[in-house]
Amino acid sequence: MGALAIHRAGCVALIALLLAPQGLAQQIPSETQTRLNSAIETLRALSAQTAGPWRFRWPAFPGGEAPDFDDSSWPQVYPEHSWQGDNTAAWYRLHVRVPEHIGLAPNPGGPLVLEVAVDDDGEIYINGEHVKRFHWDEGRAVLIEDARPGQSFVVAVKAINQGGPGRLLSASLRYTRLDNVRRPIADHAAALETLRELLAVETDLPAGATDAVQDCLAALDFELISRDPEAFLNSIEASLAALEPLKPVIRKYALYLVGHAHMDMNWLWLWPETIQVCHDTWTQALRFMDEFPDFRFSESQPGAMIAIEEKSPALFRQIVQRIREGRWDPTCATWVQGDTNMASGEAVARHALYS
């Protein structure tokens, strides 16, 4: 069942296309589908728990870290959130209550860690106590060494902007007892999400498909999350093994991962830096093609390609050769990947025409 596991990659974005006939599978009872959804949500929450919503106040004022401060009138926001105001600061406050369960799983306990990133600097307060000053994505604070249901905390982050818009970039709560099993849990969540897609489109499921799915879900012993997180990996293996009867169906489908790199032409770069980013990114894509014979790449901005043809003709010739080989796909829907909420209809039409 390894074909079900979908792994994430970093530098080059991957677009996954599941090619399948359309339809709705009626063989799987709705109760089983509901249990499948609950299992996926639980696995996702265990692997990565976004912290939020946050109460937001700009500009910051003295005393915003006080645990008894009434922030109920402040608007609620989630990362990524931004405010406009050069060289100013804002408060973000989060009320944390340790839950008894995370979805279907009991709370794992152990150290509970907040990880937060802001633009540009920040200060973290836990229950009014200053615990850390940090830069960008280096915000990390232990809320409690042994998290138990019912414990509560008031987290205040003072985000300090040094120019341009200020931002709360990301925020998460992490139970460190799960660190060694976090990636397998995320992979199994992706596997079950793929299974859910399969059940949604496949109209010819084999006999015993319902039993296989039910056995897959029954094998997940979420109680192990609090008792022995490492043992939960055996539970995942058993869950995958239960899907053996569905292998013939799974093999009917193809999963394509297509490399793509998005370069914002209207970002905060000067033009020479923009073209250098295109040059460096596309050079790396060509290197991947040399290293991995099956690597494919899509590129969608002929406006940038024109600049590369002028500035780096040798690189342009290599790209053209890969296009001829069918390994580089110039999708080119518009001249550049533009900002369509400001451009006029005529401008957008011209983008498509010239592309």
Side-chain angles (χ1 to χ4, degrees):
M1 295 307 298
L4 278 174
I6 302 175
H7 296 276
R8 271 57 175 173
C11 298
V12 178
L14 297 179
I15 304 172
L17 302 177
L18 183 64
L19 303 183
Q22 296 302 307
L24 291 175
Q26 302 298 327
Q27 297 97 319
I28 304 300
S30 59
E31 179 183 353
T32 301
Q33 295 184 37
T34 299
R35 288 177 58 204
L36 176 59
N37 292 336
S38 297
I40 292 171
E41 291 172 3
T42 299
L43 292 167
R44 282 290 174 217
L46 291 172
S47 62
Q49 193 171 13
T50 300
W54 293 77
R55 295 286 184 175
F56 168 73
R57 177 65 165 82
W58 174 84
F61 54 82
E65 75 281 5
D68 58 351
F69 183 87
D70 182 8
D71 57 18
S72 60
S73 63
W74 296 6
Q76 293 183 319
V77 300
Y78 285 88
E80 179 177 325
H81 174 261
S82 63
W83 80 87
Q84 297 294 329
D86 289 349
N87 301 310
T88 59
W91 282 114
Y92 290 93
R93 287 171 56 94
L94 176 70
H95 296 258
V96 178
R97 185 175 180 83
V98 179
E100 185 172 348
H101 286 82
I102 299 176
L104 302 174
N107 190 290
L112 177 58
V113 174
L114 170 75
E115 294 179 335
V116 61
V118 301
D119 178 0
D120 296 271
D121 297 286
E123 298 174 354
I124 301 175
Y125 298 84
I126 307 296
N127 291 335
E129 179 183 353
H130 181 269
V131 296
K132 187 177 182 65
R133 182 178 175 90
F134 66 96
H135 183 61
W136 281 88
D137 60 351
E138 298 172 351
R140 184 183 186 277
V142 178
L143 270 63
I144 191 72
E145 291 291 347
D146 186 14
R148 297 181 181 275
Q151 293 172 328
S152 60
F153 309 90
V154 176
V155 177
V157 175
K158 186 177 184 181
I160 304 167
N161 176 30
Q162 304 295 348
R167 294 181 291 168
L168 174 64
L169 297 168
S170 63
S172 63
L173 290 170
R174 181 165 62 88
Y175 294 89
T176 60
R177 282 193 70 204
L178 302 181
D179 283 356
N180 291 337
V181 298
R182 198 174 305 280
R183 181 57 185 268
I185 288 175
D187 287 345
H188 196 51
L192 294 188
E193 286 173 343
T194 305
L195 173 64
R196 182 169 59 187
E197 292 295 323
L198 178 71
L199 298 177
V201 298
E202 180 57 53
T203 58
D204 188 23
L205 292 173
T210 295
D211 290 340
V213 176
Q214 291 175 341
D215 290 344
C216 163
L217 297 176
L220 289 174
D221 186 357
F222 284 110
E223 293 299 320
L224 292 172
I225 289 297
S226 62
R227 297 201 309 267
D228 186 358
E230 297 282 350
F232 188 66
L233 298 183
N234 297 329
S235 179
I236 289 176
E237 291 298 322
S239 178
L240 286 173
L243 295 175
E244 188 75 18
L246 291 177
K247 267 190 175 180
V249 178
I250 295 168
R251 287 172 176 160
K252 293 166 53 178
Y253 296 87
L255 182 67
Y256 293 91
L257 302 179
V258 181
H260 175 77
H262 177 99
M263 276 82 73
D264 280 319
M265 306 300 283
N266 57 344
W267 184 233
L268 302 178
W269 301 323
L270 298 177
W271 178 246
E273 185 178 2
T274 300
I275 299 308
Q276 187 63 46
V277 169
C278 293
H279 176 281
D280 295 346
T281 303
W282 295 345
T283 297
Q284 183 59 58
L286 292 170
R287 289 173 180 162
F288 282 146
M289 290 181 183
D290 293 335
E291 185 176 358
F292 307 105
D294 292 333
F295 182 80
R296 301 291 187 271
F297 187 76
S298 66
E299 182 277 318
S300 58
Q301 301 194 103
M305 191 63 73
I306 292 295
I308 292 297
E309 182 181 17
E310 295 174 352
K311 302 292 186 180
S312 305
L315 176 62
F316 180 78
R317 287 192 295 269
Q318 294 180 59
I319 292 173
V320 169
Q321 179 59 35
R322 293 304 190 185
I323 292 174
R324 289 171 176 161
E325 295 172 2
R327 300 183 63 188
W328 187 299
D329 183 10
T331 55
C332 302
T334 55
W335 190 247
V336 298
Q337 295 167 179
D339 187 345
T340 55
N341 65 356
M342 294 182 66
S344 68
E346 177 66 18
V348 174
R350 292 288 169 178
H351 267 282
L353 174 63
Y354 291 129
S355 174

